Amino acid sequence: MNFRTLLLTAVLVFGGMSFASGQQPDTYLINEIKSYQDSLDQAFQNRDTSPLKEEDFEQFTGLDYFPINLDYYIKAKFIRTPNQPAFDMPTTTSEVETYEKYGELHFSVYGRPVSLDAFQSHELRETEKYKNYIFLPFRDETNGEETYGGGRYLEMWIPAGDSVIIDFNKAYNPYCVYNTKYSCPLVPKQNRMDIPVYAGVKDFTKE
Protein backbone atom coordinates (compact mmCIF):
# COMPACT_ATOMS: atom_id res chain seq x y z
CA MET A 1 0.00 0.00 0.00
CA ASN A 2 2.98 2.36 0.29
CA PHE A 3 2.68 3.28 -3.37
CA ARG A 4 -0.44 5.37 -2.58
CA THR A 5 0.87 7.23 0.46
CA LEU A 6 1.91 10.38 -1.35
CA LEU A 7 -1.49 10.61 -3.05
CA LEU A 8 -3.20 10.33 0.31
CA THR A 9 -0.91 13.04 1.66
CA ALA A 10 -1.90 15.31 -1.21
CA VAL A 11 -5.55 14.79 -0.32
CA LEU A 12 -4.79 15.60 3.31
CA VAL A 13 -3.14 18.86 2.35
CA PHE A 14 -5.71 20.05 -0.17
CA GLY A 15 -8.91 18.25 0.76
CA GLY A 16 -10.22 20.23 3.71
CA MET A 17 -9.74 23.89 2.89
CA SER A 18 -12.29 26.66 3.42
CA PHE A 19 -13.21 29.48 1.06
CA ALA A 20 -10.70 32.32 0.98
CA SER A 21 -12.04 35.79 1.57
CA GLY A 22 -13.50 37.27 -1.61
CA GLN A 23 -13.28 34.08 -3.66
CA GLN A 24 -16.32 32.75 -5.49
CA PRO A 25 -17.02 29.02 -4.98
CA ASP A 26 -16.11 28.04 -8.55
CA THR A 27 -12.86 30.00 -8.43
CA TYR A 28 -11.96 28.43 -5.11
CA LEU A 29 -12.63 24.91 -6.38
CA ILE A 30 -10.59 25.44 -9.53
CA ASN A 31 -7.68 26.81 -7.49
CA GLU A 32 -7.91 23.89 -5.08
CA ILE A 33 -7.80 21.38 -7.93
CA LYS A 34 -4.84 23.18 -9.49
CA SER A 35 -3.04 23.06 -6.13
CA TYR A 36 -3.71 19.34 -5.88
CA GLN A 37 -2.38 18.74 -9.37
CA ASP A 38 0.68 20.88 -8.67
CA SER A 39 1.43 18.82 -5.57
CA LEU A 40 1.11 15.65 -7.60
CA ASP A 41 3.52 16.94 -10.24
CA GLN A 42 6.01 17.96 -7.57
CA ALA A 43 5.88 14.50 -6.02
CA PHE A 44 6.51 12.93 -9.42
CA GLN A 45 9.47 15.22 -10.05
CA ASN A 46 11.05 14.26 -6.72
CA ARG A 47 13.14 11.12 -7.05
CA ASP A 48 12.44 10.22 -3.42
CA THR A 49 8.67 10.05 -3.94
CA SER A 50 8.24 9.46 -7.67
CA PRO A 51 7.19 6.17 -9.27
CA LEU A 52 8.93 7.16 -12.51
CA LYS A 53 11.77 5.11 -13.89
CA GLU A 54 15.14 6.84 -13.85
CA GLU A 55 15.20 7.18 -17.63
CA ASP A 56 11.87 9.03 -17.60
CA PHE A 57 12.95 11.94 -15.41
CA GLU A 58 14.84 13.84 -18.09
CA GLN A 59 11.77 14.40 -20.28
CA PHE A 60 9.17 14.63 -17.51
CA THR A 61 7.70 18.11 -17.01
CA GLY A 62 4.39 17.15 -15.37
CA LEU A 63 1.43 14.83 -15.71
CA ASP A 64 -1.09 15.26 -18.51
CA TYR A 65 -4.51 16.34 -17.23
CA PHE A 66 -7.90 16.91 -18.75
CA PRO A 67 -9.02 20.54 -18.45
CA ILE A 68 -10.59 21.14 -15.05
CA ASN A 69 -14.32 20.61 -15.34
CA LEU A 70 -16.57 21.26 -12.35
CA ASP A 71 -19.30 19.12 -13.92
CA TYR A 72 -17.21 16.27 -12.53
CA TYR A 73 -17.24 17.73 -9.02
CA ILE A 74 -20.24 15.76 -7.85
CA LYS A 75 -22.20 15.36 -4.64
CA ALA A 76 -23.05 11.70 -4.16
CA LYS A 77 -25.36 9.88 -1.78
CA PHE A 78 -23.28 7.70 0.54
CA ILE A 79 -24.79 4.46 1.80
CA ARG A 80 -22.78 2.55 4.39
CA THR A 81 -22.64 -1.23 4.04
CA PRO A 82 -21.54 -2.53 7.46
CA ASN A 83 -20.40 -6.05 8.26
CA GLN A 84 -19.12 -6.84 4.79
CA PRO A 85 -16.71 -9.78 4.49
CA ALA A 86 -13.05 -9.05 3.89
CA PHE A 87 -11.72 -10.09 0.50
CA ASP A 88 -8.41 -10.15 -1.34
CA MET A 89 -8.43 -7.62 -4.16
CA PRO A 90 -6.35 -8.86 -7.10
CA THR A 91 -3.47 -6.69 -8.24
CA THR A 92 -1.26 -6.29 -11.31
CA THR A 93 1.22 -8.70 -9.72
CA SER A 94 0.91 -11.92 -7.74
CA GLU A 95 0.36 -9.90 -4.57
CA VAL A 96 -3.10 -9.44 -3.09
CA GLU A 97 -4.39 -6.74 -0.75
CA THR A 98 -7.15 -7.15 1.80
CA TYR A 99 -10.14 -4.83 1.58
CA GLU A 100 -13.76 -4.77 2.50
CA LYS A 101 -16.63 -2.92 0.92
CA TYR A 102 -17.35 0.11 3.10
CA GLY A 103 -20.18 1.75 1.23
CA GLU A 104 -21.91 2.68 -2.01
CA LEU A 105 -21.87 6.03 -3.77
CA HIS A 106 -24.92 6.94 -5.86
CA PHE A 107 -24.85 9.96 -8.15
CA SER A 108 -25.48 11.10 -11.71
CA VAL A 109 -23.20 12.35 -14.49
CA TYR A 110 -24.92 14.52 -17.10
CA GLY A 111 -28.24 13.08 -15.96
CA ARG A 112 -27.17 9.44 -16.10
CA PRO A 113 -27.39 7.49 -12.81
CA VAL A 114 -24.19 5.83 -11.61
CA SER A 115 -23.20 3.83 -8.56
CA LEU A 116 -19.73 2.85 -7.35
CA ASP A 117 -18.54 0.75 -4.46
CA ALA A 118 -16.08 2.30 -2.00
CA PHE A 119 -13.55 0.12 -0.21
CA GLN A 120 -11.47 0.30 2.93
CA SER A 121 -7.97 -1.11 3.12
CA HIS A 122 -7.37 -3.31 6.13
CA GLU A 123 -3.75 -2.18 6.18
CA LEU A 124 -4.42 1.56 6.04
CA ARG A 125 -7.24 1.52 8.58
CA GLU A 126 -4.75 0.28 11.17
CA THR A 127 -2.81 3.55 10.87
CA GLU A 128 -3.87 6.67 12.73
CA LYS A 129 -3.25 8.95 9.76
CA TYR A 130 -5.29 7.04 7.19
CA LYS A 131 -7.86 5.15 9.24
CA ASN A 132 -10.70 7.28 7.87
CA TYR A 133 -9.90 6.92 4.18
CA ILE A 134 -11.80 4.97 1.59
CA PHE A 135 -10.60 3.82 -1.80
CA LEU A 136 -12.60 4.35 -4.99
CA PRO A 137 -11.14 2.59 -8.04
CA PHE A 138 -13.11 3.01 -11.25
CA ARG A 139 -13.14 2.42 -14.97
CA ASP A 140 -14.93 4.47 -17.60
CA GLU A 141 -15.32 4.88 -21.35
CA THR A 142 -12.06 6.83 -21.74
CA ASN A 143 -9.96 3.82 -20.70
CA GLY A 144 -7.66 2.61 -23.43
CA GLU A 145 -8.06 5.87 -25.32
CA GLU A 146 -7.36 9.08 -23.39
CA THR A 147 -6.73 7.27 -20.11
CA TYR A 148 -5.00 4.13 -18.86
CA GLY A 149 -6.82 0.97 -19.93
CA GLY A 150 -6.95 -0.50 -16.44
CA GLY A 151 -8.81 2.42 -14.88
CA ARG A 152 -7.98 5.09 -12.34
CA TYR A 153 -8.24 5.75 -8.60
CA LEU A 154 -9.79 8.24 -6.20
CA GLU A 155 -9.53 8.43 -2.43
CA MET A 156 -11.55 10.42 0.10
CA TRP A 157 -12.43 10.85 3.72
CA ILE A 158 -15.19 8.74 5.19
CA PRO A 159 -18.05 11.26 5.44
CA ALA A 160 -19.78 12.03 8.72
CA GLY A 161 -23.21 12.02 7.08
CA ASP A 162 -24.96 10.44 4.13
CA SER A 163 -23.32 12.42 1.33
CA VAL A 164 -19.82 12.86 -0.05
CA ILE A 165 -18.11 14.85 -2.79
CA ILE A 166 -16.57 12.90 -5.67
CA ASP A 167 -14.09 15.09 -7.55
CA PHE A 168 -13.05 13.25 -10.69
CA ASN A 169 -10.65 16.11 -11.43
CA LYS A 170 -8.45 14.44 -8.80
CA ALA A 171 -8.54 11.00 -10.42
CA TYR A 172 -5.05 9.57 -10.80
CA ASN A 173 -3.32 6.60 -12.38
CA PRO A 174 -2.10 3.50 -10.55
CA TYR A 175 1.66 3.63 -10.07
CA CYS A 176 2.13 0.54 -12.25
CA VAL A 177 1.32 2.80 -15.23
CA TYR A 178 4.71 4.41 -14.69
CA ASN A 179 6.71 1.48 -13.40
CA THR A 180 5.85 -2.22 -13.43
CA LYS A 181 7.69 -2.82 -10.15
CA TYR A 182 4.59 -1.55 -8.33
CA SER A 183 1.67 -3.79 -7.41
CA CYS A 184 -1.65 -2.02 -8.05
CA PRO A 185 -5.18 -3.16 -7.18
CA LEU A 186 -7.35 -4.03 -10.16
CA VAL A 187 -10.65 -2.20 -10.50
CA PRO A 188 -13.53 -4.49 -9.43
CA LYS A 189 -15.99 -5.21 -12.23
CA GLN A 190 -18.88 -3.50 -10.43
CA ASN A 191 -16.99 -0.20 -10.63
CA ARG A 192 -17.01 -0.11 -14.42
CA MET A 193 -19.01 2.92 -15.62
CA ASP A 194 -20.50 3.04 -19.11
CA ILE A 195 -19.84 6.76 -19.40
CA PRO A 196 -16.69 8.75 -20.22
CA VAL A 197 -15.00 10.74 -17.46
CA TYR A 198 -13.08 13.57 -19.10
CA ALA A 199 -11.40 14.70 -15.90
CA GLY A 200 -8.26 13.98 -13.92
CA VAL A 201 -4.99 12.46 -15.06
CA LYS A 202 -4.67 11.13 -18.59
CA ASP A 203 -2.60 8.14 -19.66
CA PHE A 204 1.20 8.38 -19.40
CA THR A 205 2.93 8.77 -22.73
CA LYS A 206 6.64 9.32 -23.22
CA GLU A 207 7.88 11.95 -25.61
Side-chain angles (χ1 to χ4, degrees):
M1 292 297 296
N2 291 336
F3 75 93
R4 293 215 318 277
T5 300
L6 81 90
L7 283 311
L8 289 168
T9 301
V11 175
L12 275 173
V13 173
F14 297 109
M17 303 165 67
S18 59
F19 290 114
S21 176
Q23 280 191 324
Q24 295 299 313
D26 284 1
T27 301
Y28 163 79
L29 291 174
I30 290 170
N31 288 338
E32 182 196 359
I33 293 164
K34 287 180 178 176
S35 294
Y36 176 88
Q37 294 176 348
D38 287 345
S39 72
L40 211 52
D41 287 341
Q42 291 169 13
F44 269 71
Q45 291 166 339
N46 183 340
R47 282 176 166 79
D48 292 333
T49 55
S50 179
L52 294 175
K53 295 179 180 179
E54 186 62 32
E55 60 266 27
D56 294 330
F57 276 102
E58 185 174 346
Q59 299 296 325
F60 183 79
T61 58
L63 297 170
D64 190 14
Y65 301 93
F66 287 101
I68 293 173
N69 185 345
L70 296 185
D71 287 339
Y72 291 104
Y73 181 90
I74 298 169
K75 185 176 182 179
K77 182 177 182 181
F78 185 76
I79 300 175
R80 287 167 172 77
T81 54
N83 303 317
Q84 295 291 306
F87 69 96
D88 290 333
M89 188 178 289
T91 70
T92 53
T93 68
S94 59
E95 297 180 20
V96 293
E97 297 181 6
T98 303
Y99 286 83
E100 65 184 61
K101 179 180 174 181
Y102 191 91
E104 297 176 0
L105 289 80
H106 296 264
F107 55 100
S108 62
V109 180
Y110 295 124
R112 298 180 63 177
V114 180
S115 66
L116 295 174
D117 287 350
F119 305 94
Q120 187 174 47
S121 162
H122 277 210
E123 180 180 348
L124 283 182
R125 75 180 185 184
E126 296 303 317
T127 68
E128 184 63 28
K129 193 172 186 178
Y130 300 127
K131 65 181 181 180
N132 292 321
Y133 269 87
I134 47 177
F135 178 44
L136 189 67
F138 70 94
R139 297 184 67 190
D140 68 272
E141 290 295 314
T142 68
N143 297 156
E145 300 293 336
E146 296 93 340
T147 63
Y148 170 58
R152 292 178 290 168
Y153 297 163
L154 283 169
E155 280 149 342
M156 60 191 68
W157 292 107
I158 295 173
D162 61 358
S163 65
V164 67
I165 294 296
I166 305 174
D167 189 355
F168 286 104
N169 294 285
K170 295 180 180 179
Y172 66 90
N173 289 326
Y175 269 21
C176 50
V177 172
Y178 310 99
N179 194 325
T180 55
K181 74 177 184 180
Y182 292 97
S183 178
C184 303
L186 300 178
V187 178
K189 62 182 181 180
Q190 67 267 34
N191 278 20
R192 175 71 167 85
M193 300 187 291
D194 60 353
I195 57 171
V197 176
Y198 299 114
V201 176
K202 295 183 179 180
D203 202 0
F204 180 59
T205 57
K206 301 180 183 180
E207 296 184 6

